[in-house]
Amino acid sequence: PFYKSKGTGWTKLTYSQLHLSTTVKIDGEIADLGRRVSLHFRDAEYCTVTEELSVRGVTQAVLKRTYSFTGNGLVFQANFSFQALKALDNVEVWFGTSDDWIGTTDRPLKEQGKFVDRSFEPTEHGHILRIHSGDENVFVFS
């Protein structure tokens, strides 16, 4: 994905050939992704990926990832849903890039917060992450 920079125009969010990554933890252990994967593309703006999640070789859950572009292609949306195949206490998802370059630095400021009247306000338990460097802002919603 790209973001629109005032200084450089459309700018790739990932570095070089790196892609967006997904990591899932089930009950504190990193799950293996990709057993019995099913892909479905509706068009260039919508895709689903369904796959089994295993820990120590035992299938624990099914993960369905849905990727789409909205707002005339300007908003990238990723949704994750799980179907537990056994009792689970905790499922955590990390989705992102291994490079944090935004604006003018590889070490941008990161704040949790929320939008109030179209303005970002930092809050301790906000559902929005603002990644900020110079005049550049990228907002990630959960």
Side-chain angles (χ1 to χ4, degrees), residues 36-138:
R36 298 173 61 184
V37 175
S38 169
L39 295 171
H40 172 71
F41 292 92
R42 184 177 66 205
D43 52 34
E45 296 178 356
Y46 181 88
C47 172
T48 61
V49 180
T50 305
E51 58 197 314
E52 292 182 350
L53 302 175
S54 299
V55 174
R56 297 184 191 179
V58 178
T59 303
Q60 307 282 316
V62 175
L63 167 64
K64 181 177 182 181
R65 296 182 276 171
T66 303
Y67 302 113
S68 60
F69 289 93
T70 61
N72 294 323
L74 297 177
V75 176
F76 174 72
Q77 185 172 352
N79 291 312
F80 299 87
S81 62
F82 294 88
Q83 176 188 2
L85 301 177
K86 58 175 259 156
L88 304 175
D89 292 322
N90 188 28
V91 177
E92 301 170 80
V93 177
W94 180 89
F95 175 71
T97 175
S98 60
D99 189 302
D100 289 346
W101 188 276
I102 299 290
T104 58
T105 182
D106 200 21
R107 298 189 192 282
L109 301 173
K110 297 173 187 163
E111 300 177 279
Q112 278 185 280
K114 63 182 179 180
F115 281 111
V116 176
D117 296 325
R118 296 181 169 235
S119 294
F120 180 80
E121 289 189 10
T123 60
E124 189 172 322
H125 298 288
H127 293 286
I128 299 169
L129 178 65
R130 177 175 93 154
I131 303 122
H132 174 77
S133 172
D135 290 334
E136 308 293 323
N137 290 289
V138 173

